[in-house]
PDB file of all heavy atoms in Angstrom:
ATOM      1  N   VAL A  75       0.834  -1.203   0.000  1.00 90.00           N
ATOM      2  CA  VAL A  75       0.000   0.000   0.000  1.00 90.00           C
ATOM      3  C   VAL A  75       0.868   1.253   0.000  1.00 90.00           C
ATOM      4  O   VAL A  75       0.612   2.212  -0.742  1.00 90.00           O
ATOM      5  CB  VAL A  75      -0.944  -0.006   1.217  1.00 90.00           C
ATOM      6  CG1 VAL A  75      -1.654   1.337   1.355  1.00 90.00           C
ATOM      7  CG2 VAL A  75      -1.969  -1.126   1.093  1.00 90.00           C
ATOM      8  N   LEU A  76       1.933   1.254   0.809  1.00 92.00           N
ATOM      9  CA  LEU A  76       2.815   2.420   0.875  1.00 92.00           C
ATOM     10  C   LEU A  76       3.538   2.655  -0.446  1.00 92.00           C
ATOM     11  O   LEU A  76       3.686   3.799  -0.886  1.00 92.00           O
ATOM     12  CB  LEU A  76       3.829   2.234   2.010  1.00 92.00           C
ATOM     13  CG  LEU A  76       3.246   2.217   3.429  1.00 92.00           C
ATOM     14  CD1 LEU A  76       4.332   1.915   4.449  1.00 92.00           C
ATOM     15  CD2 LEU A  76       2.557   3.536   3.752  1.00 92.00           C
ATOM     16  N   VAL A  77       3.985   1.578  -1.074  1.00 92.00           N
ATOM     17  CA  VAL A  77       4.648   1.709  -2.372  1.00 92.00           C
ATOM     18  C   VAL A  77       3.673   2.276  -3.402  1.00 92.00           C
ATOM     19  O   VAL A  77       4.030   3.159  -4.204  1.00 92.00           O
ATOM     20  CB  VAL A  77       5.206   0.350  -2.839  1.00 92.00           C
ATOM     21  CG1 VAL A  77       5.638   0.405  -4.305  1.00 92.00           C
ATOM     22  CG2 VAL A  77       6.383  -0.072  -1.965  1.00 92.00           C
ATOM     23  N   ALA A  78       2.427   1.796  -3.377  1.00 92.00           N
ATOM     24  CA  ALA A  78       1.415   2.298  -4.316  1.00 92.00           C
ATOM     25  C   ALA A  78       1.164   3.786  -4.097  1.00 92.00           C
ATOM     26  O   ALA A  78       1.052   4.570  -5.059  1.00 92.00           O
ATOM     27  CB  ALA A  78       0.124   1.505  -4.159  1.00 92.00           C
ATOM     28  N   ILE A  79       1.094   4.208  -2.833  1.00 91.00           N
ATOM     29  CA  ILE A  79       0.882   5.637  -2.540  1.00 91.00           C
ATOM     30  C   ILE A  79       2.090   6.455  -2.981  1.00 91.00           C
ATOM     31  O   ILE A  79       1.948   7.553  -3.535  1.00 91.00           O
ATOM     32  CB  ILE A  79       0.599   5.840  -1.039  1.00 91.00           C
ATOM     33  CG1 ILE A  79      -0.718   5.152  -0.651  1.00 91.00           C
ATOM     34  CG2 ILE A  79       0.527   7.319  -0.700  1.00 91.00           C
ATOM     35  CD1 ILE A  79      -1.014   5.187   0.836  1.00 91.00           C
ATOM     36  N   GLY A  80       3.287   5.908  -2.748  1.00 91.00           N
ATOM     37  CA  GLY A  80       4.497   6.601  -3.179  1.00 91.00           C
ATOM     38  C   GLY A  80       4.541   6.805  -4.677  1.00 91.00           C
ATOM     39  O   GLY A  80       4.902   7.886  -5.171  1.00 91.00           O
ATOM     40  N   LEU A  81       4.164   5.779  -5.424  1.00 92.00           N
ATOM     41  CA  LEU A  81       4.122   5.896  -6.886  1.00 92.00           C
ATOM     42  C   LEU A  81       3.081   6.917  -7.324  1.00 92.00           C
ATOM     43  O   LEU A  81       3.311   7.694  -8.267  1.00 92.00           O
ATOM     44  CB  LEU A  81       3.821   4.529  -7.504  1.00 92.00           C
ATOM     45  CG  LEU A  81       4.926   3.469  -7.371  1.00 92.00           C
ATOM     46  CD1 LEU A  81       4.426   2.117  -7.865  1.00 92.00           C
ATOM     47  CD2 LEU A  81       6.171   3.897  -8.153  1.00 92.00           C
ATOM     48  N   LEU A  82       1.930   6.927  -6.643  1.00 91.00           N
ATOM     49  CA  LEU A  82       0.889   7.892  -6.985  1.00 91.00           C
ATOM     50  C   LEU A  82       1.367   9.317  -6.732  1.00 91.00           C
ATOM     51  O   LEU A  82       1.143  10.217  -7.569  1.00 91.00           O
ATOM     52  CB  LEU A  82      -0.364   7.595  -6.172  1.00 91.00           C
ATOM     53  CG  LEU A  82      -1.543   8.562  -6.370  1.00 91.00           C
ATOM     54  CD1 LEU A  82      -2.032   8.513  -7.813  1.00 91.00           C
ATOM     55  CD2 LEU A  82      -2.676   8.230  -5.402  1.00 91.00           C
ATOM     56  N   MET A  83       2.013   9.544  -5.591  1.00 91.00           N
ATOM     57  CA  MET A  83       2.499  10.885  -5.276  1.00 91.00           C
ATOM     58  C   MET A  83       3.591  11.307  -6.252  1.00 91.00           C
ATOM     59  O   MET A  83       3.654  12.470  -6.664  1.00 91.00           O
ATOM     60  CB  MET A  83       3.023  10.920  -3.838  1.00 91.00           C
ATOM     61  CG  MET A  83       1.951  10.643  -2.788  1.00 91.00           C
ATOM     62  SD  MET A  83       0.633  11.868  -2.761  1.00 91.00           S
ATOM     63  CE  MET A  83       1.434  13.195  -1.879  1.00 91.00           C
ATOM     64  N   GLY A  84       4.448  10.367  -6.642  1.00 90.00           N
ATOM     65  CA  GLY A  84       5.469  10.684  -7.633  1.00 90.00           C
ATOM     66  C   GLY A  84       4.855  11.072  -8.961  1.00 90.00           C
ATOM     67  O   GLY A  84       5.365  11.939  -9.674  1.00 90.00           O
ATOM     68  N   PHE A  85       3.760  10.440  -9.311  1.00 91.00           N
ATOM     69  CA  PHE A  85       3.081  10.758 -10.567  1.00 91.00           C
ATOM     70  C   PHE A  85       2.381  12.111 -10.500  1.00 91.00           C
ATOM     71  O   PHE A  85       2.430  12.902 -11.449  1.00 91.00           O
ATOM     72  CB  PHE A  85       2.066   9.656 -10.886  1.00 91.00           C
ATOM     73  CG  PHE A  85       1.213   9.939 -12.093  1.00 91.00           C
ATOM     74  CD1 PHE A  85       1.723   9.797 -13.374  1.00 91.00           C
ATOM     75  CD2 PHE A  85      -0.105  10.357 -11.931  1.00 91.00           C
ATOM     76  CE1 PHE A  85       0.931  10.069 -14.488  1.00 91.00           C
ATOM     77  CE2 PHE A  85      -0.894  10.625 -13.045  1.00 91.00           C
ATOM     78  CZ  PHE A  85      -0.375  10.473 -14.324  1.00 91.00           C
ATOM     79  N   LEU A  86       1.715  12.393  -9.361  1.00 89.00           N
ATOM     80  CA  LEU A  86       0.975  13.646  -9.224  1.00 89.00           C
ATOM     81  C   LEU A  86       1.906  14.834  -9.016  1.00 89.00           C
ATOM     82  O   LEU A  86       1.604  15.949  -9.449  1.00 89.00           O
ATOM     83  CB  LEU A  86      -0.020  13.545  -8.059  1.00 89.00           C
ATOM     84  CG  LEU A  86      -1.132  12.503  -8.216  1.00 89.00           C
ATOM     85  CD1 LEU A  86      -1.973  12.425  -6.945  1.00 89.00           C
ATOM     86  CD2 LEU A  86      -2.014  12.830  -9.413  1.00 89.00           C
ATOM     87  N   GLY A  87       3.017  14.602  -8.290  1.00 88.00           N
ATOM     88  CA  GLY A  87       3.976  15.682  -8.060  1.00 88.00           C
ATOM     89  C   GLY A  87       3.434  16.868  -7.294  1.00 88.00           C
ATOM     90  O   GLY A  87       3.565  18.012  -7.764  1.00 88.00           O
ATOM     91  N   PRO A  88       2.824  16.670  -6.101  1.00 87.00           N
ATOM     92  CA  PRO A  88       2.291  17.812  -5.340  1.00 87.00           C
ATOM     93  C   PRO A  88       3.412  18.664  -4.736  1.00 87.00           C
ATOM     94  O   PRO A  88       4.567  18.266  -4.711  1.00 87.00           O
ATOM     95  CB  PRO A  88       1.466  17.133  -4.249  1.00 87.00           C
ATOM     96  CG  PRO A  88       2.106  15.798  -4.075  1.00 87.00           C
ATOM     97  CD  PRO A  88       2.605  15.399  -5.426  1.00 87.00           C
ATOM     98  N   TYR A  89       3.012  19.830  -4.233  1.00 85.00           N
ATOM     99  CA  TYR A  89       3.932  20.767  -3.582  1.00 85.00           C
ATOM    100  C   TYR A  89       5.096  21.157  -4.497  1.00 85.00           C
ATOM    101  O   TYR A  89       6.241  21.304  -4.052  1.00 85.00           O
ATOM    102  CB  TYR A  89       4.472  20.180  -2.271  1.00 85.00           C
ATOM    103  CG  TYR A  89       3.389  19.836  -1.280  1.00 85.00           C
ATOM    104  CD1 TYR A  89       3.233  18.527  -0.828  1.00 85.00           C
ATOM    105  CD2 TYR A  89       2.509  20.810  -0.803  1.00 85.00           C
ATOM    106  CE1 TYR A  89       2.229  18.198   0.070  1.00 85.00           C
ATOM    107  CE2 TYR A  89       1.506  20.487   0.098  1.00 85.00           C
ATOM    108  CZ  TYR A  89       1.371  19.181   0.525  1.00 85.00           C
ATOM    109  OH  TYR A  89       0.378  18.873   1.410  1.00 85.00           O
ATOM    110  N   GLY A  90       4.833  21.279  -5.776  1.00 84.00           N
ATOM    111  CA  GLY A  90       5.848  21.747  -6.707  1.00 84.00           C
ATOM    112  C   GLY A  90       6.826  20.698  -7.181  1.00 84.00           C
ATOM    113  O   GLY A  90       7.693  20.984  -8.012  1.00 84.00           O
ATOM    114  N   THR A  91       6.698  19.454  -6.685  1.00 85.00           N
ATOM    115  CA  THR A  91       7.641  18.409  -7.098  1.00 85.00           C
ATOM    116  C   THR A  91       7.381  17.924  -8.510  1.00 85.00           C
ATOM    117  O   THR A  91       8.168  17.145  -9.047  1.00 85.00           O
ATOM    118  CB  THR A  91       7.574  17.204  -6.132  1.00 85.00           C
ATOM    119  OG1 THR A  91       6.226  16.700  -6.101  1.00 85.00           O
ATOM    120  CG2 THR A  91       7.976  17.613  -4.723  1.00 85.00           C
ATOM    121  N   VAL A  92       6.286  18.380  -9.131  1.00 84.00           N
ATOM    122  CA  VAL A  92       6.012  17.996 -10.504  1.00 84.00           C
ATOM    123  C   VAL A  92       7.093  18.531 -11.445  1.00 84.00           C
ATOM    124  O   VAL A  92       7.308  18.005 -12.548  1.00 84.00           O
ATOM    125  CB  VAL A  92       4.613  18.490 -10.934  1.00 84.00           C
ATOM    126  CG1 VAL A  92       4.590  20.005 -11.053  1.00 84.00           C
ATOM    127  CG2 VAL A  92       4.200  17.856 -12.252  1.00 84.00           C
ATOM    128  N   ARG A  93       7.797  19.580 -10.993  1.00 86.00           N
ATOM    129  CA  ARG A  93       8.845  20.164 -11.830  1.00 86.00           C
ATOM    130  C   ARG A  93      10.168  19.420 -11.720  1.00 86.00           C
ATOM    131  O   ARG A  93      11.114  19.721 -12.448  1.00 86.00           O
ATOM    132  CB  ARG A  93       9.039  21.631 -11.445  1.00 86.00           C
ATOM    133  CG  ARG A  93       7.832  22.514 -11.737  1.00 86.00           C
ATOM    134  CD  ARG A  93       8.158  23.979 -11.511  1.00 86.00           C
ATOM    135  NE  ARG A  93       8.455  24.258 -10.107  1.00 86.00           N
ATOM    136  CZ  ARG A  93       7.521  24.588  -9.218  1.00 86.00           C
ATOM    137  NH1 ARG A  93       6.242  24.668  -9.576  1.00 86.00           N
ATOM    138  NH2 ARG A  93       7.860  24.846  -7.980  1.00 86.00           N
ATOM    139  N   LEU A  94      10.238  18.463 -10.792  1.00 85.00           N
ATOM    140  CA  LEU A  94      11.477  17.710 -10.620  1.00 85.00           C
ATOM    141  C   LEU A  94      11.650  16.700 -11.743  1.00 85.00           C
ATOM    142  O   LEU A  94      10.672  16.248 -12.339  1.00 85.00           O
ATOM    143  CB  LEU A  94      11.456  16.962  -9.275  1.00 85.00           C
ATOM    144  CG  LEU A  94      11.404  17.828  -8.002  1.00 85.00           C
ATOM    145  CD1 LEU A  94      11.224  16.923  -6.789  1.00 85.00           C
ATOM    146  CD2 LEU A  94      12.671  18.665  -7.871  1.00 85.00           C
ATOM    147  N   PRO A  95      12.897  16.308 -12.049  1.00 89.00           N
ATOM    148  CA  PRO A  95      13.108  15.222 -13.004  1.00 89.00           C
ATOM    149  C   PRO A  95      12.382  13.961 -12.529  1.00 89.00           C
ATOM    150  O   PRO A  95      12.238  13.727 -11.319  1.00 89.00           O
ATOM    151  CB  PRO A  95      14.636  15.029 -13.000  1.00 89.00           C
ATOM    152  CG  PRO A  95      15.171  16.350 -12.543  1.00 89.00           C
ATOM    153  CD  PRO A  95      14.161  16.889 -11.576  1.00 89.00           C
ATOM    154  N   ALA A  96      11.936  13.135 -13.464  1.00 89.00           N
ATOM    155  CA  ALA A  96      11.065  12.003 -13.127  1.00 89.00           C
ATOM    156  C   ALA A  96      11.693  11.050 -12.126  1.00 89.00           C
ATOM    157  O   ALA A  96      11.093  10.733 -11.090  1.00 89.00           O
ATOM    158  CB  ALA A  96      10.681  11.261 -14.403  1.00 89.00           C
ATOM    159  N   VAL A  97      12.900  10.583 -12.396  1.00 91.00           N
ATOM    160  CA  VAL A  97      13.502   9.561 -11.526  1.00 91.00           C
ATOM    161  C   VAL A  97      13.753  10.091 -10.124  1.00 91.00           C
ATOM    162  O   VAL A  97      13.329   9.470  -9.128  1.00 91.00           O
ATOM    163  CB  VAL A  97      14.796   9.003 -12.156  1.00 91.00           C
ATOM    164  CG1 VAL A  97      15.500   8.064 -11.173  1.00 91.00           C
ATOM    165  CG2 VAL A  97      14.476   8.274 -13.451  1.00 91.00           C
ATOM    166  N   PRO A  98      14.441  11.235  -9.967  1.00 91.00           N
ATOM    167  CA  PRO A  98      14.622  11.750  -8.598  1.00 91.00           C
ATOM    168  C   PRO A  98      13.295  12.043  -7.895  1.00 91.00           C
ATOM    169  O   PRO A  98      13.170  11.848  -6.686  1.00 91.00           O
ATOM    170  CB  PRO A  98      15.427  13.039  -8.810  1.00 91.00           C
ATOM    171  CG  PRO A  98      16.091  12.867 -10.121  1.00 91.00           C
ATOM    172  CD  PRO A  98      15.129  12.073 -10.956  1.00 91.00           C
ATOM    173  N   GLY A  99      12.293  12.493  -8.665  1.00 91.00           N
ATOM    174  CA  GLY A  99      10.996  12.779  -8.066  1.00 91.00           C
ATOM    175  C   GLY A  99      10.338  11.533  -7.497  1.00 91.00           C
ATOM    176  O   GLY A  99       9.817  11.535  -6.377  1.00 91.00           O
ATOM    177  N   TYR A 100      10.376  10.452  -8.263  1.00 94.00           N
ATOM    178  CA  TYR A 100       9.801   9.196  -7.772  1.00 94.00           C
ATOM    179  C   TYR A 100      10.588   8.655  -6.584  1.00 94.00           C
ATOM    180  O   TYR A 100      10.015   8.160  -5.603  1.00 94.00           O
ATOM    181  CB  TYR A 100       9.756   8.156  -8.895  1.00 94.00           C
ATOM    182  CG  TYR A 100       8.515   8.245  -9.756  1.00 94.00           C
ATOM    183  CD1 TYR A 100       8.551   8.861 -11.008  1.00 94.00           C
ATOM    184  CD2 TYR A 100       7.308   7.726  -9.319  1.00 94.00           C
ATOM    185  CE1 TYR A 100       7.407   8.958 -11.798  1.00 94.00           C
ATOM    186  CE2 TYR A 100       6.164   7.806 -10.101  1.00 94.00           C
ATOM    187  CZ  TYR A 100       6.217   8.431 -11.335  1.00 94.00           C
ATOM    188  OH  TYR A 100       5.090   8.519 -12.096  1.00 94.00           O
ATOM    189  N   VAL A 101      11.913   8.722  -6.655  1.00 94.00           N
ATOM    190  CA  VAL A 101      12.754   8.245  -5.542  1.00 94.00           C
ATOM    191  C   VAL A 101      12.446   9.034  -4.282  1.00 94.00           C
ATOM    192  O   VAL A 101      12.333   8.470  -3.180  1.00 94.00           O
ATOM    193  CB  VAL A 101      14.250   8.346  -5.908  1.00 94.00           C
ATOM    194  CG1 VAL A 101      15.117   8.036  -4.684  1.00 94.00           C
ATOM    195  CG2 VAL A 101      14.585   7.387  -7.043  1.00 94.00           C
ATOM    196  N   TYR A 102      12.306  10.332  -4.432  1.00 94.00           N
ATOM    197  CA  TYR A 102      12.009  11.204  -3.295  1.00 94.00           C
ATOM    198  C   TYR A 102      10.683  10.817  -2.638  1.00 94.00           C
ATOM    199  O   TYR A 102      10.607  10.637  -1.417  1.00 94.00           O
ATOM    200  CB  TYR A 102      11.976  12.659  -3.771  1.00 94.00           C
ATOM    201  CG  TYR A 102      11.442  13.638  -2.759  1.00 94.00           C
ATOM    202  CD1 TYR A 102      12.220  14.039  -1.680  1.00 94.00           C
ATOM    203  CD2 TYR A 102      10.155  14.171  -2.902  1.00 94.00           C
ATOM    204  CE1 TYR A 102      11.725  14.955  -0.751  1.00 94.00           C
ATOM    205  CE2 TYR A 102       9.658  15.079  -1.977  1.00 94.00           C
ATOM    206  CZ  TYR A 102      10.441  15.465  -0.902  1.00 94.00           C
ATOM    207  OH  TYR A 102       9.951  16.369   0.019  1.00 94.00           O
ATOM    208  N   TRP A 103       9.630  10.684  -3.457  1.00 94.00           N
ATOM    209  CA  TRP A 103       8.317  10.364  -2.891  1.00 94.00           C
ATOM    210  C   TRP A 103       8.262   8.945  -2.343  1.00 94.00           C
ATOM    211  O   TRP A 103       7.585   8.696  -1.331  1.00 94.00           O
ATOM    212  CB  TRP A 103       7.227  10.585  -3.930  1.00 94.00           C
ATOM    213  CG  TRP A 103       6.814  12.022  -4.012  1.00 94.00           C
ATOM    214  CD1 TRP A 103       7.038  12.892  -5.042  1.00 94.00           C
ATOM    215  CD2 TRP A 103       6.133  12.758  -3.001  1.00 94.00           C
ATOM    216  NE1 TRP A 103       6.535  14.135  -4.742  1.00 94.00           N
ATOM    217  CE2 TRP A 103       5.963  14.078  -3.487  1.00 94.00           C
ATOM    218  CE3 TRP A 103       5.646  12.450  -1.742  1.00 94.00           C
ATOM    219  CZ2 TRP A 103       5.338  15.068  -2.752  1.00 94.00           C
ATOM    220  CZ3 TRP A 103       5.009  13.437  -1.000  1.00 94.00           C
ATOM    221  CH2 TRP A 103       4.859  14.729  -1.495  1.00 94.00           C
ATOM    222  N   MET A 104       8.957   8.014  -2.955  1.00 94.00           N
ATOM    223  CA  MET A 104       8.986   6.653  -2.412  1.00 94.00           C
ATOM    224  C   MET A 104       9.652   6.641  -1.044  1.00 94.00           C
ATOM    225  O   MET A 104       9.184   5.992  -0.098  1.00 94.00           O
ATOM    226  CB  MET A 104       9.730   5.721  -3.370  1.00 94.00           C
ATOM    227  CG  MET A 104       8.971   5.430  -4.656  1.00 94.00           C
ATOM    228  SD  MET A 104       7.427   4.520  -4.378  1.00 94.00           S
ATOM    229  CE  MET A 104       8.075   2.950  -3.854  1.00 94.00           C
ATOM    230  N   ALA A 105      10.774   7.376  -0.916  1.00 94.00           N
ATOM    231  CA  ALA A 105      11.465   7.446   0.373  1.00 94.00           C
ATOM    232  C   ALA A 105      10.573   8.093   1.427  1.00 94.00           C
ATOM    233  O   ALA A 105      10.475   7.606   2.570  1.00 94.00           O
ATOM    234  CB  ALA A 105      12.769   8.229   0.220  1.00 94.00           C
ATOM    235  N   CYS A 106       9.906   9.178   1.039  1.00 94.00           N
ATOM    236  CA  CYS A 106       9.051   9.888   1.996  1.00 94.00           C
ATOM    237  C   CYS A 106       7.850   9.049   2.422  1.00 94.00           C
ATOM    238  O   CYS A 106       7.543   8.943   3.619  1.00 94.00           O
ATOM    239  CB  CYS A 106       8.571  11.206   1.386  1.00 94.00           C
ATOM    240  SG  CYS A 106       9.869  12.429   1.141  1.00 94.00           S
ATOM    241  N   MET A 107       7.154   8.443   1.459  1.00 94.00           N
ATOM    242  CA  MET A 107       5.912   7.749   1.774  1.00 94.00           C
ATOM    243  C   MET A 107       6.167   6.414   2.467  1.00 94.00           C
ATOM    244  O   MET A 107       5.511   6.076   3.451  1.00 94.00           O
ATOM    245  CB  MET A 107       5.083   7.535   0.501  1.00 94.00           C
ATOM    246  CG  MET A 107       4.689   8.830  -0.207  1.00 94.00           C
ATOM    247  SD  MET A 107       4.016  10.092   0.902  1.00 94.00           S
ATOM    248  CE  MET A 107       2.629   9.232   1.613  1.00 94.00           C
ATOM    249  N   VAL A 108       7.114   5.628   1.943  1.00 94.00           N
ATOM    250  CA  VAL A 108       7.392   4.332   2.578  1.00 94.00           C
ATOM    251  C   VAL A 108       7.981   4.548   3.963  1.00 94.00           C
ATOM    252  O   VAL A 108       7.572   3.916   4.948  1.00 94.00           O
ATOM    253  CB  VAL A 108       8.327   3.483   1.701  1.00 94.00           C
ATOM    254  CG1 VAL A 108       8.732   2.214   2.438  1.00 94.00           C
ATOM    255  CG2 VAL A 108       7.650   3.142   0.382  1.00 94.00           C
ATOM    256  N   GLY A 109       8.962   5.471   4.076  1.00 94.00           N
ATOM    257  CA  GLY A 109       9.571   5.736   5.376  1.00 94.00           C
ATOM    258  C   GLY A 109       8.574   6.278   6.382  1.00 94.00           C
ATOM    259  O   GLY A 109       8.500   5.817   7.531  1.00 94.00           O
ATOM    260  N   SER A 110       7.777   7.265   5.964  1.00 94.00           N
ATOM    261  CA  SER A 110       6.784   7.850   6.874  1.00 94.00           C
ATOM    262  C   SER A 110       5.722   6.831   7.260  1.00 94.00           C
ATOM    263  O   SER A 110       5.280   6.764   8.416  1.00 94.00           O
ATOM    264  CB  SER A 110       6.124   9.058   6.207  1.00 94.00           C
ATOM    265  OG  SER A 110       7.072  10.057   5.923  1.00 94.00           O
ATOM    266  N   GLY A 111       5.304   6.021   6.279  1.00 92.00           N
ATOM    267  CA  GLY A 111       4.303   4.994   6.572  1.00 92.00           C
ATOM    268  C   GLY A 111       4.797   3.995   7.594  1.00 92.00           C
ATOM    269  O   GLY A 111       4.055   3.593   8.507  1.00 92.00           O
TER     270      GLY A 111
END
């Protein structure tokens, strides 16, 4: 579930992260969502 949410957040790119490069953006959100979860 956490991985799925992380992928969704990486795709949506909230809080301005949509402007980040794709790979670092997904890595960032995966780290944040899985770790926080």
Side-chain angles (χ1 to χ4, degrees):
V75 171
L76 294 175
V77 168
I79 296 175
L81 291 173
L82 177 63
M83 297 297 282
F85 175 76
L86 296 175
Y89 301 120
T91 58
V92 69
R93 295 188 295 271
L94 296 173
V97 173
Y100 274 101
V101 172
Y102 170 76
W103 278 111
M104 289 295 291
C106 292
M107 300 313 302
V108 174
S110 298

